[in-house]
Amino acid sequence: MLRSIVRRISQRMDDFPPGRVPLLLLLLAATSGSVVVVRSVLPHEPGLRVWTFVHLHSEEFRQRLADHPDADTIQVQNLGTAMFDRLALALMTQTELPDLVEVEQSVVGRFLRGPVQHIPFVDLTERIRQEGWDRRCVAARFARYTVAGRIFGVPHDLHPMVLVYRPDALASLGYRPEDLTTWSDWVRAAQAFYRPGPLGTPHWRRGLALSTVEGYTFLSLLWQRGGDVFDAEGNVIIDSELAVDTLEFYVSLFRLDPPAAGPALSSMLEDFSALARGQFLAILAADWMLGTMQLDARSILEARVQCRPLPVWEPGGRRTSTVGGTAMFIPKGCADVDRAWELLKYLYFDRQSLVRRFQAHSIVPALTDVFDDPIFHEEVGFFQGQRVGELLIELAREVPPVNGSPYAPEAYKFLDAVFPDVIAGRRSPRTALDEVARRLREVIARDQRAGLQPVDG
Amino acid sequence: MSHTPGRYEHTNSPDSRSPAAPASCGDAINGTARSTKYSGGRHAPGPTGGVRRQPLAPWFFLLPFGVIFLTFTLYPLGYSVYLSTRQTVGTRVNVFAGAANYLDLLHDDVFWGSLGRTVYFAVCSVLVQLPTALALALLVHHRRLPGRMVFRTIFFLPILVGPVFIGVAFRRIYGVQEGALNQCLGLLGIPAIDWLRNPDVVLNTLVLTALWMYAGFHMVYFLAGLQGIPVELYEAAAIDGANAWQRFRAVTLPGIWPIAAFLMTASTIGSFGLFDLPWVLTDRGGPGRASTTLMVYLYERGFLAGDLGYAAAMGWLITILLLAVSLLQLRVTRAWAEEM
């Protein structure tokens, strides 16, 4: 029976003028095309889909979801940094949208442009306030994901910064770390550490490793001082006196005689190696860098470094800053926002997960409830038995707020564009920051002319 | 000339009729092999007023290509023209901007800076990659070279490795202190060079990496050209007393000139599309703007800033520039070929 059907089909296929193969190819194309069309037209599967761009996060979520009652219907996808473009396309076309998505702070602005009602993420302000998450988390951390007073993202982390230094090198210079509290103190120590010589040679020594090509460390210092690129209303303030003064200080570290800073090398691992070789006295590091250091540079740095709060700008000043950060968002196309919100809390605010994350990667969560866990008070052998967790949670409440802006990605790009020239002395900090501010204002004005400014519309 | 429905032409070829078409009324009347080729609507009256069905089979076979061409070529092209007249922000908002994007581009110093760097890269690609590729081709074409098949494979291999992987791998090679390249230079007493973070050096680093990537690929083209030159020409030149340089100048170069001209144009077009190397190797066209190429800037504006309208306008401007450059290049290479 079956054989006769096959034979009949086979004969019919032979009747197709160009032959069997083109017919098969046509059928294949028609079938696959139909599948693609049907898939995009059919309503979303009943489950939830979570997108992230970090392997570490996806692993953490999968681990956490093992205990979730609906684990079978929840899909976690790590799409790497290509996720941001895919998200943009999904939001544009409103197809294949995730229900929850993690976005890095430096790129989130691209999704927050335009009138607030057109922002493609669900406004979480009421949920966060009603449930008290703004009080239970470090409130400053929400600022980055806030536009026109509305909160769109929940922060994954806090990323307080510390100074990682070589205690033996400091001692050999005759300094005690507890005596070095201000930037002026550290500049003196760094100058004493300096040894001339061409970059990369064993004689070459610099006190502090700072980027000469990108502005992120300068921004950390600016945030530490209470400055910012944008104010809370979204106005550009990168050309403020405070910002110019901070950049002048930053540049002076390379120009002092002897210099207090040298260029950070081409990768974090190279910086760690230089620290291990005694070529750097100290580097500025966020919590996640301490994790990377313990994972990737254990063999060369274990029990050779310690952490200190960042030097303060004036006595009693802020002892930390921040760099990097990620938050979770719910796209507006999500079919079940309530369920997505519950899942977000399940993934982000679970005590055991946050403890595991700190243990494995030194990432301090934004949720302060967990700070009483013993893990944050343990001695860490890698840092010569120092209670690094205690230091980080002590600094957590001092993490400066960073005002969010839809134009932040451009601000960072414009700053990076002028930064090497400032360090090389081809441009003064004043003219460079004026240019960054001018360009930013032009971009904002362009949107305003078209009625596309980020205000409640 | 436009054909109106019902109009027909007579041809003398018996093969000009589609096998799928029914016998024409004209044939039936005339009883000859003459056929009628219809050019009008689906049903067209024959010479006696009868109706003949237009063959559908060719259209049926063209349909898949037509659908794909319309969907993935014409529609995106048309949409990008439309988009270039819009100002877009975020993911779903755009307003009419007329020619504003094009006018803004003319005053955008970052665009012109990126164009300058792209042109520099393109010129270096042509001037460095192609002679190197030709030298490699001459080397592996030499009959007395032992293991030339192995060399051919080795030189060709880099193109099989993805540019993103190359970017990641070369970051290690170009490391300041621990990079293999600086370690080698150190052995020669040359101080370390910051290949990726020195704004004065970084563009040349890209040229160097692209040379490694593409020289072997271009070599294959030259090799094919060299293999196509008749050996008799070399023998005749040798009999005439031509030395190696004269044989190269008078036989090899004219023989491979069409390929060289093609590679020059292809390299230039490829250079204008340079994106992945600076994106991965130099952290999105850094330091500063030192390695920001046109495509990196286009991506930055379109996808990082979300201004797809501006990016679309930039894309069209680049297309026009590229067309102009390619035409100029073709003219120049043709003139050179005539001089040879």
Side-chain angles (χ1 to χ4, degrees):
Chain A
M1 172 72 175
L2 187 69
R3 197 174 286 176
S4 70
I5 293 172
V6 171
R7 199 179 303 137
R8 209 175 298 163
I9 292 173
S10 183
Q11 282 167 355
R12 286 283 163 89
M13 284 170 81
D14 285 336
D15 294 342
F16 190 65
R20 275 174 190 221
V21 175
L23 178 65
L24 281 172
L25 286 174
L26 272 175
L27 286 174
L28 197 65
T31 313
S32 55
S34 310
V35 168
V36 171
V37 171
V38 169
R39 265 177 65 95
S40 59
V41 170
L42 277 181
H44 200 288
E45 292 158 20
L48 292 176
R49 194 161 38 177
V50 185
W51 278 7
T52 181
F53 61 98
V54 193
H55 176 70
L56 157 72
H57 295 192
S58 62
E59 289 304 303
E60 189 184 301
F61 295 159
R62 284 195 189 108
Q63 211 173 352
R64 171 75 180 127
L65 283 171
D67 303 328
H68 195 281
D70 298 328
D72 294 344
T73 62
I74 299 168
Q75 218 185 338
V76 176
Q77 291 177 301
N78 168 27
L79 303 175
T81 47
M83 188 204 78
F84 302 121
D85 293 339
R86 197 162 153 189
L87 177 64
L89 286 174
L91 291 170
M92 259 183 249
T93 56
Q94 290 290 298
T95 54
E96 300 282 324
L97 269 172
D99 299 284
L100 285 171
V101 62
E102 282 197 313
V103 185
E104 212 270 332
Q105 53 82 30
S106 66
V107 294
V108 72
R110 68 191 270 197
F111 302 108
L112 302 178
R113 293 278 282 267
V116 169
Q117 74 271 23
H118 288 300
I119 289 176
F121 300 126
V122 174
D123 180 353
L124 300 173
T125 317
E126 305 314 325
R127 289 172 193 268
I128 288 168
R129 288 193 182 141
Q130 274 168 15
E131 295 181 29
W133 295 111
D134 53 339
R135 293 185 296 280
R136 293 173 67 184
C137 295
V138 175
R141 209 57 184 166
F142 287 97
R144 268 196 163 144
Y145 315 110
T146 301
V147 180
R150 313 306 300 169
I151 305 170
F152 292 91
V154 174
H156 168 268
D157 38 48
L158 199 56
H159 295 336
M161 284 177 87
V162 293
L163 203 63
V164 180
Y165 68 102
R166 289 282 301 264
D168 53 337
L170 204 57
S172 71
L173 298 170
Y175 289 100
R176 293 187 314 164
E178 54 272 29
D179 294 336
L180 304 175
T181 54
T182 65
W183 276 109
S184 314
D185 297 335
W186 272 94
V187 167
R188 268 201 317 280
Q191 283 183 293
F193 183 77
Y194 172 84
R195 290 281 179 280
L199 174 73
T201 58
H203 311 290
W204 184 87
R205 274 191 3 187
R206 298 292 184 272
L208 297 161
L210 296 176
S211 176
T212 52
V213 293
E214 287 169 328
Y216 60 88
T217 317
F218 153 68
L219 286 179
S220 295
L221 297 187
L222 180 61
W223 290 326
Q224 189 197 5
R225 284 185 92 177
D228 207 336
V229 181
F230 303 94
D231 65 14
E233 281 73 48
N235 301 308
V236 177
I237 53 167
I238 187 69
D239 52 350
S240 66
E241 286 305 322
L242 187 69
V244 173
D245 188 60
T246 308
L247 188 52
E248 277 169 355
F249 168 79
Y250 191 96
V251 174
S252 75
L253 296 176
F254 296 92
R255 304 239 182 94
L256 289 169
D257 187 21
L265 302 175
S266 46
S267 70
M268 208 165 22
L269 285 180
E270 278 211 323
D271 286 346
F272 294 162
S273 297
L275 192 64
R277 275 199 294 262
Q279 290 181 298
F280 286 137
L281 174 64
I283 58 175
L284 280 75
D287 54 354
W288 56 271
M289 280 174 75
L290 303 184
T292 308
M293 199 178 274
Q294 291 175 72
L295 285 173
D296 297 340
R298 182 168 287 280
S299 61
I300 53 172
L301 278 177
E302 185 163 27
R304 299 180 74 188
V305 285
Q306 282 199 354
C307 301
R308 296 275 307 158
L310 288 190
V312 294
W313 286 91
E314 64 282 310
R318 199 190 295 270
R319 296 175 303 157
T320 192
S321 188
T322 186
V323 63
T326 298
M328 183 87 88
F329 299 80
I330 302 176
K332 271 183 180 160
C334 173
D336 192 343
V337 174
D338 291 334
R339 208 174 148 218
W341 170 245
E342 289 306 316
L343 180 62
L344 188 157
K345 289 187 289 182
Y346 185 82
L347 294 174
Y348 263 29
F349 297 139
D350 171 61
R351 188 183 183 88
Q352 283 315 309
S353 300
L354 298 178
V355 165
R356 270 201 305 267
R357 184 202 296 169
F358 180 78
Q359 196 169 22
H361 302 283
S362 300
I363 294 174
V364 179
L367 185 71
T368 55
D369 296 8
V370 295
F371 288 173
D372 59 357
D373 193 278
I375 191 75
F376 292 99
H377 305 275
E378 279 180 5
E379 294 179 352
V380 183
F382 186 91
F383 295 105
Q384 301 185 333
Q386 193 182 5
R387 294 179 202 275
V388 173
E390 243 167 47
L391 173 65
L392 290 172
I393 60 171
E394 189 188 319
L395 296 173
R397 305 220 179 249
E398 293 182 41
V399 168
V402 176
N403 289 315
S405 166
Y407 302 99
E410 276 143 318
Y412 301 147
K413 195 70 209 175
F414 292 155
L415 180 63
D416 288 349
V418 296
F419 209 72
D421 280 355
V422 178
I423 299 296
R426 289 192 283 261
R427 251 186 244 225
S428 74
R430 165 51 73 193
T431 55
L433 293 184
D434 279 349
E435 186 184 322
V436 174
R438 178 182 60 77
R439 285 186 185 277
L440 272 173
R441 289 190 184 111
E442 277 172 8
V443 173
I444 295 170
R446 196 165 179 268
D447 281 0
Q448 280 172 343
R449 276 199 301 277
L452 300 172
Q453 67 272 35
V455 292
D456 285 306
Chain B
M1 179 181 138
S2 66
H3 288 190
T4 53
R7 187 160 182 180
Y8 61 91
E9 295 163 358
H10 291 287
T11 66
N12 290 322
S13 165
D15 301 328
S16 62
R17 193 169 60 211
S18 160
S24 76
C25 301
D27 289 349
I29 292 165
N30 299 331
T32 67
R34 295 197 315 173
S35 70
T36 308
K37 191 168 77 183
Y38 292 90
S39 54
R42 191 185 154 100
H43 297 284
T48 57
V51 174
R52 171 183 167 155
R53 264 220 245 145
Q54 185 181 351
L56 284 174
W59 298 109
F60 179 71
F61 296 129
L62 281 173
L63 190 66
F65 167 77
V67 169
I68 290 168
F69 182 71
L70 266 175
T71 313
F72 297 109
T73 306
L74 277 188
Y75 172 72
L77 278 176
Y79 188 69
S80 74
V81 173
Y82 162 79
L83 209 53
S84 73
T85 62
R86 314 288 297 177
Q87 185 180 336
T88 55
V89 299
T91 51
R92 294 185 66 78
V93 189
N94 65 64
V95 291
F96 180 69
N101 287 329
Y102 291 95
L103 295 173
D104 286 352
L105 259 175
L106 297 178
H107 304 288
D108 185 345
D109 54 341
V110 180
F111 171 76
W112 294 110
S114 305
L115 177 66
R117 281 182 287 275
T118 306
V119 169
Y120 175 84
F121 181 85
V123 170
C124 287
S125 292
V126 171
L127 294 184
V128 179
Q129 272 176 32
L130 297 192
T132 309
L134 180 57
L136 290 177
L138 288 168
L139 185 75
V140 298
H141 183 58
H142 206 283
R143 266 176 266 168
R144 286 186 209 148
L145 180 76
R148 58 191 181 138
M149 287 306 288
V150 177
F151 282 115
R152 283 177 193 181
T153 311
I154 290 172
F155 292 146
F156 184 72
L157 273 179
I159 196 68
L160 301 178
V161 185
V164 174
F165 178 79
I166 287 171
V168 174
F170 269 76
R171 279 179 82 98
R172 287 178 173 270
I173 292 172
Y174 292 133
V176 179
Q177 291 221 101
E178 297 179 358
L181 189 56
N182 274 350
Q183 302 251 352
C184 294
L185 293 176
L187 295 175
L188 302 170
I190 300 169
I193 297 169
D194 201 343
W195 295 97
L196 300 176
R197 295 188 164 221
N198 184 340
D200 301 327
V201 173
V202 70
L203 211 50
N204 295 319
T205 307
L206 290 183
V207 172
L208 198 68
T209 315
L211 172 70
W212 180 84
M213 277 175 77
Y214 294 112
F217 181 63
H218 293 153
M219 173 201 78
V220 173
Y221 282 91
F222 281 127
L223 199 56
L226 289 173
Q227 285 167 346
I229 300 172
V231 183
E232 293 78 16
L233 289 179
Y234 287 104
E235 288 168 356
I239 290 165
D240 286 347
N243 60 27
W245 167 247
Q246 286 166 331
R247 286 199 298 273
F248 175 76
R249 177 77 183 76
V251 180
T252 309
L253 214 50
I256 58 163
W257 189 250
I259 287 171
F262 163 73
L263 285 179
M264 270 187 237
T265 310
S267 277
T268 308
I269 294 170
S271 301
F272 270 73
L274 181 71
F275 173 77
D276 31 26
L277 262 189
W279 193 256
V280 181
L281 194 59
T282 60
D283 284 332
R284 305 174 184 190
R289 292 271 182 210
S291 63
T292 301
T293 58
L294 280 175
M295 284 301 144
V296 169
Y297 186 51
L298 186 149
Y299 182 87
E300 190 188 307
R301 288 304 301 254
F303 289 92
L304 294 190
D307 199 346
L308 287 171
Y310 196 81
M314 204 188 301
W316 278 106
L317 202 58
I318 294 169
T319 306
I320 293 165
L321 282 170
L322 207 50
L323 266 175
V325 170
S326 300
L327 283 175
L328 185 74
Q329 215 167 24
L330 277 175
R331 281 198 167 197
V332 171
T333 48
R334 203 171 290 165
W336 284 349
E338 281 165 8
E339 276 178 25
M340 267 185 207

